[in-house]
């Protein structure tokens, strides 16, 4: 069974530029999550999708971050414009249905904002 | 509200020694509890999960954890450390449809 795929693995941009990350969850998983992991901290949930719909985006900085999950499969997370404090690893995860189900994580995208 | 506290950001053990990583949680509803491991430049991998069945949960790679409601703890143990266990370990709680992670404990294993 293929795992959660993410791209790119690494990205370096300058502040005020925009960036997008892509995630392909495990086939058949209805729930998809984006987490932000700042160095030295645990992952923090940014947004959770159930199929096409947003379940929780309470910690997503909506003035600069956006995310979509078209057709209930792939998802894209965008940052525009980026700030220095956005430097982090962005992890995508998926689970079969509810968030109490085991979440499977992708390898992450390491973003450096200069 | 839910929270997780991992005691000790760094733990160092000798190869073959007992591994004990501490996790205390706070949740106003019966929690689901998880331990994940993260190797350098990789995503998180599930070690084990507590879902209110047995209080002693066995996971992969010889790890286990015991749920103690009276102590609000879910400590992770392994009887004998291996060099390949060196990684970062995260405890997480889910009680309100959201996974909350602790800050992590970096485990070092030396010969």
């Amino acid at each position: 069974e293929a795992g959660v795929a993410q791209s790119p693995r690494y990205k370096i941009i300058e502040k005020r530029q925009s960036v997008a990350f892509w995630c392909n969850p495990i086939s058949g998983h209805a729930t998809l999550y984006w987490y932000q992991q700042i160095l030295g901290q645990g992952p923090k949930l940014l947004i959770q999708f159930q199929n096409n719909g947003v379940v929780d985006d309470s910690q997503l900085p909506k003035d600069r971050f956006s995310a979509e999950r078209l057709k209930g499969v792939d998802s894209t997370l965008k940052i525009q414009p980026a700030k220095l404090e956005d430097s982090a690893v962005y992890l995508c995860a998926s689970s079969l249905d509810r968030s109490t189900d085991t979440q499977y994580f992708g390898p992450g995208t390491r973003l450096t904002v200069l | 509200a839910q929270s997780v506290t991992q005691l000790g950001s760094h733990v160092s053990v000798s190869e073959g020694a007992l591994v004990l990583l501490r996790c205390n949680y706070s949740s106003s509803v019966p929690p689901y509890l998880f331990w994940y491991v993260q190797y350098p430049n990789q995503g998180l991998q599930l070690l084990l999960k507590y879902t209110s069945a047995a209080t002693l949960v066995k996971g992969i790679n010889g790890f286990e954890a015991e749920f103690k409601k009276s102590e609000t703890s879910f400590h992770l143990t392994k009887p004998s450390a291996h060099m390949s266990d060196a990684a970062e370990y995260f405890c997480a709680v889910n009680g309100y449809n959201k996974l909350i992670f602790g800050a992590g404990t970096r485990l070092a294993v030396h010969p």
Side-chain angles (χ1 to χ4, degrees), chain A residues 59-77:
Chain A
Q59 298 199 84
L60 187 73
K62 298 180 187 62
D63 58 333
R64 298 184 300 105
F65 286 64
S66 64
E68 59 182 9
R69 189 182 185 196
L70 300 176
K71 300 181 181 179
V73 182
D74 292 5
S75 178
T76 303
L77 177 70

Side-chain angles (χ1 to χ4, degrees), chain B residues 45-62:
Chain B
Q45 179 185 5
L46 181 71
L47 277 177
L48 49 81
K49 172 182 176 181
Y50 168 76
T51 59
S52 76
T55 56
L56 183 63
V57 183
K58 294 188 182 299
I60 62 171
N61 301 339

Side-chain angles (χ1 to χ4, degrees), chain A residues 36-78:
Chain A
Q36 180 192 57
Q37 186 178 17
I38 293 173
L39 187 66
Q41 300 180 19
K44 182 185 80 172
L45 180 69
L46 291 176
I47 188 167
Q48 176 180 338
F49 292 94
Q50 181 83 8
N51 298 309
N52 287 346
V54 175
V55 173
D56 185 345
D57 64 356
S58 58
Q59 298 199 84
L60 187 73
K62 298 180 187 62
D63 58 333
R64 298 184 300 105
F65 286 64
S66 64
E68 59 182 9
R69 189 182 185 196
L70 300 176
K71 300 181 181 179
V73 182
D74 292 5
S75 178
T76 303
L77 177 70
K78 296 180 181 177

Side-chain angles (χ1 to χ4, degrees), chain A residues 9-10 35 37 40-43 45 48 55-56 58-59 91 98-103 105-107 110, chain B residues 32 34 36 38 41-46 49 51 88 90 94-104:
Chain A
R9 291 295 313 276
Y10 304 91
Y35 289 87
Q37 186 178 17
Q41 300 180 19
L45 180 69
Q48 176 180 338
V55 173
D56 185 345
S58 58
Q59 298 199 84
L91 295 164
R98 302 164 300 171
S99 66
T100 49
D101 295 329
T102 297
Q103 295 186 26
F105 285 79
R110 182 177 297 276
Chain B
Y32 285 67
F34 304 78
Y36 281 87
Q38 186 175 35
N41 299 315
Q42 295 186 28
L44 279 72
Q45 179 185 5
L46 181 71
K49 172 182 176 181
T51 59
E88 184 131 29
F90 292 94
N94 190 325
Y96 287 104
N97 204 36
K98 180 186 292 188
L99 203 56
I100 305 296
F101 285 89

